[in-house]
Amino acid sequence: MRICGPGIRMRIGHGFDSHEFRPGIPLKIGGIVLPHDKGLGGHSDGDVLLHAITDALLGAIAAPDIGALFPPSDPKWKGADSVIFLREALKRVHDAGYSVANVDSSLILAAPKIGPHATAIRTRVAELMGLHCDCVGLKAKTPEGLNLDNAAIAHVAVLLQRRRNSPRRPRHKPAAKKKFRK
Ligand SMILES: [Zn+2]
């Protein structure tokens, strides 16, 4: 029995990402620059939250992940604005016939404190995703007991819903009942 397919009404996606703190680069989280003495190194601008959201969106429609679409080995993406990746994932979600219902995220990092910036991050993420702020969850945790004070980690879950005007797959016609012959 087929239990999933293009016609499914809702899809869930999960994304995870982590980056190491490095001195001398700006800290970007959720598309905004936060005041801190270190930034996140690695792929593109190191925006750990946008990367995890991008992967959650791509995962929800079973598309190739961020590393496959934008390989870190390609110099083209060195220092790139991660909004580019998010926009590509949103386009793919749209083309697959879905819109984003809501997104929830957890950031795990020792510093800086996210609380004072949480509203600004949620507002920016909502704006980038075409959502209301109430549809963007953000929790911040410290990595207690993990010995990961020099890293930032993001976990994200997204829910997609099929767009009302999206073309549906033709329904499978039930086989006509056989007439009983007398
Ligand atoms: Zn990343």
Side-chain angles (χ1 to χ4, degrees), residues 7 11 31 48 56 67 70 72 81 98 105 116 125 160 165:
R11 283 172 174 257
V48 70
F70 309 100
D81 185 347
Y98 292 89
S105 59
V125 169
L160 307 184
N165 54 354

Side-chain angles (χ1 to χ4, degrees), residues 17-20 22 24-31 39-52 54-55 66-67 69-86:
D17 196 31
S18 69
H19 284 277
E20 193 178 11
R22 286 186 199 155
I25 50 173
L27 175 60
K28 271 182 95 174
I29 294 183
L40 294 169
H43 193 14
S44 63
D45 60 3
D47 195 322
V48 70
L49 181 57
L50 291 196
H51 293 179
T54 299
D55 253 352
I66 189 171
L69 294 179
F70 309 100
S73 53
D74 188 340
K76 192 175 163 185
W77 306 120
K78 194 176 185 318
D81 185 347
S82 296
V83 170
I84 297 167
F85 310 150
L86 178 62

Side-chain angles (χ1 to χ4, degrees), residues 112-180:
K113 287 232 174 296
I114 294 299
H117 310 291
T119 303
I121 294 172
R122 287 177 55 225
T123 303
R124 180 61 180 145
V125 169
E127 184 184 57
L128 289 169
M129 300 184 74
L131 293 172
H132 192 273
C133 239
D134 288 354
C135 298
V136 179
L138 175 67
K139 293 96 61 196
K141 307 267 182 196
T142 51
E144 278 180 49
L146 294 176
N147 199 21
L148 290 171
D149 285 3
N150 203 41
I153 295 164
H155 287 273
V156 167
V158 297
L159 185 70
L160 307 184
Q161 57 193 352
R162 179 157 278 280
R163 295 202 320 275
R164 266 193 194 164
N165 54 354
S166 88
R168 278 172 172 266
R169 274 193 319 154
R171 285 236 174 118
H172 202 74
K173 272 191 180 174
K177 275 185 186 171
K178 276 185 184 171
K179 277 187 180 169
F180 182 72

